[in-house]
Amino acid sequence: QRVTQPEKLLSVFKGAPVELKCNYSYSGSPELFWYVQYSRQRLQLLLRHISRESIKGFTADLNKGETSFHLKKPFAQEEDSAMYYCALSFAGFQKLVFGTGTRLLVSP
Amino acid sequence: GAVVSQHPSRVICKSGTSVKIECRSLDFQATTMFWYRQFPKQSLMLMATSNEGSKATYEQGVEKDKFLINHASLTLSTLTVTSAHPEDSSFYICSARDRAPNTGELFFGEGSRLTVL
């Protein structure tokens, strides 16, 4: 079980579209999450694939064919600047494996 | 939302001493808690899964005699770094899952930075 986030840093201007990439490897049915860590704050859940929701304008679609769960937002805001972790849960939520994280920096 | 509290947030100790870090779920019961270690600018590495009332399950490569985990109640898990050495210096983070409902969401503590001199 592995989660890959190829970009360590993603720097965009305010209002630009954002896509944070996440690929996973898991033979079973994956449960995928995006967690976010704002400056000086603890990790918190941003969204999970099973709920198919949009949080703070972010969406993520599970693509089983490409084994991807990319995080997208059409118009980035400065307050989106944070560290984003893609995570894979399995064994009935018994384990959660994190990717290496992508730092998103949104400039004015 | 659910709150997980870690204590202490920072600890400095001498080499050879033992350090205990507490992780508490403040407003929910957590049958399972997880301990992670994070090196600078790196991802969270799962160290062990702590189950209330039973022995912790350690990940490959994590020394269970070095990192003692106790989960004595539904709201408290402790990680004890025994005979700490400078290479144990790191950021340790605990997380917990609410037993009901089980949505898979983990709630994280604020982390504990250990510095071993």
Side-chain angles (χ1 to χ4, degrees), chain A:
Chain A
Q1 303 81 17
R2 183 180 295 179
V3 177
T4 303
Q5 292 179 252
E7 304 137 329
K8 285 190 175 181
L9 173 66
L10 185 61
S11 186
V12 302
F13 287 106
K14 177 182 174 181
V18 168
E19 181 178 55
L20 286 79
K21 292 185 167 47
C22 172
N23 288 90
Y24 66 91
S25 62
Y26 179 57
S27 56
S29 288
E31 300 286 349
L32 287 151
F33 302 80
W34 277 99
Y35 280 82
V36 61
Q37 188 171 27
Y38 299 102
S39 180
R40 301 183 188 280
Q41 295 187 29
R42 67 189 69 195
L43 267 168
Q44 58 185 283
L45 178 67
L46 179 62
L47 53 79
R48 71 200 87 184
H49 93 270
I50 199 168
S51 57
R52 292 182 156 274
E53 57 198 343
S54 173
I55 302 293
K56 299 184 179 183
F58 285 96
T59 59
D61 291 318
L62 176 61
N63 186 322
K64 290 187 177 180
E66 296 182 357
T67 60
S68 67
F69 188 56
H70 303 327
L71 183 68
K72 301 177 183 179
K73 184 169 182 176
F75 308 103
Q77 303 299 314
E78 290 181 67
E79 54 266 29
D80 296 328
S81 296
M83 195 73 180
Y84 291 81
Y85 293 94
C86 182
L88 167 69
S89 184
F90 54 97
F93 299 134
Q94 279 298 314
K95 288 192 177 185
L96 189 69
V97 175
F98 285 87
T100 49
T102 298
R103 181 169 298 282
L104 175 63
L105 182 61
V106 182
S107 304

Side-chain angles (χ1 to χ4, degrees), chain B residues 66-85:
Chain B
K66 175 74 168 175
F67 300 99
L68 299 178
I69 291 173
N70 183 280
H71 194 157
S73 76
L74 286 171
T75 59
L76 174 64
S77 176
T78 59
L79 167 68
T80 301
V81 183
T82 63
S83 187
H85 291 283

Side-chain angles (χ1 to χ4, degrees), chain A residues 35 42 85 93-94 96 99, chain B residues 4 34 36 38 43 97 106:
Chain A
Y35 280 82
R42 67 189 69 195
Y85 293 94
F93 299 134
Q94 279 298 314
L96 189 69
Chain B
V4 173
F34 303 89
Y36 290 85
Q38 187 175 33
S43 185
R97 195 176 67 226
L106 288 186

